[in-house]
Amino acid sequence: MMKSRLYDQRVIALQRQGEFGVYSPGTGQEASIMGSAMAVDPARDWMVPQYRELMATVHHGLPLEVITAQYLGKIGPARIPDGVNVLPTQVSIAAQLPHATGLAWGLRLRGQDSVVIAYIGDGGSSEGDFHEALNLAGVVKAPIVFFLQNNQWAISTSRRVQSATRSFALRAAGYGLEGAEVDGNDVMAVYDVTSEAVARARGGGGPSLIEAVTYRMGFHNTTDNPSRYQDPKEYDEARSRDPIERVQKYLAALGLWDANREAALTDELREENDRALQLARSAAAPRPEDVFANVYQDPPPRLVRQRAELLDGHDA
Ligand SMILES: Cc1ncc(C[n+]2csc(CCOP(=O)(O)OP(=O)(O)O)c2C)c(N)n1
Ligand SMILES: [Mg+2]
């Protein structure tokens, strides 16, 4: 959780300096992100992210330098390594979910005991893809856990006007899924509820929808300015429920945490994050002609011509 928070702080500064791409921090949602990631097994389960779960994908085996390369625009080094059971981040809202259901169903048809965890936001739950994916998952009993992070915002659209439902978890019933609402700022509760849903899916008991109720303690992404639409009182109130401070207080009460340990871990994690950043920085930059690569096995003649013109130095 601390590694996620520290990475957010580091790369937001780099984005402001022009080095990093548009970035959506997980700040405030670390219990939700890490509690859910810890409940799946990187060796056999698959993770299907939206875009705000970066450290969950790292926990699931995606090297931090690989995902960092993506934000530096290095498309080759950003390729997900073979053997890492993580799908690429998805910015087209909810478009990851039909794929996630298909992936889970396919794993089951192959006789594997793997489970898929797929992330979605409160805003994403209003998309058609969300409903289609949940419906099919229920019908075929796909081994999948839909993990909905309700961070109260979809950019500037408040949860209050996102849906008339009083709980997103209730939507599970309409598709024959198990539904659960959990305090998304309580890492242990998130871990427990997600573990239960994963065990049920693995045992053939079918899919679940978990709503983790949390709060986006920052901007939507680095292009956003929430002071234009967010009540500062609501933000302050959310800060008083910081999920990292909460677990630190709990550990301190058990005698397992203090200021020295925090300082030592902070240094260690900053170094880990910096190492990943250095590796991503030293990775090969894309060449202009790479824009034509990795889409078609046999590119259409128009693209072949444009690529040749580019290499010739002509304007396409
Ligand atoms: C299909 C589609 N529509 C609109 C957008 C623009 N958009 C980007 S993020 C976002 C809000 C998503 O909110 P939510 O699902 O709650 O996720 P959060 O960003 O809060 O984690 C929207 C509308 C998009 N990327 N894709
Ligand atoms: Mg949201």
Side-chain angles (χ1 to χ4, degrees), residues 199-213:
R200 187 169 43 242
R202 205 182 303 288
S208 305
L209 169 66
I210 297 172
E211 175 187 355
V213 181

Side-chain angles (χ1 to χ4, degrees), residues 48-52 87-97 99:
V48 182
Q50 187 158 283
Y51 46 70
R52 208 180 289 286
L87 259 49
T89 45
Q90 177 58 272
V91 171
S92 183
I93 299 298
Q96 71 278 19
L97 296 189
H99 295 281

Side-chain angles (χ1 to χ4, degrees), residues 11 34 39 66 129 145 287 315:
V11 303
M34 299 315 297
V66 169
D129 276 349
V145 177
R287 300 160 303 169
D315 282 341

Side-chain angles (χ1 to χ4, degrees), residues 121-123 149 151-154:
D122 45 301
Q149 294 201 73
N151 63 4
Q152 313 301 331
W153 293 100

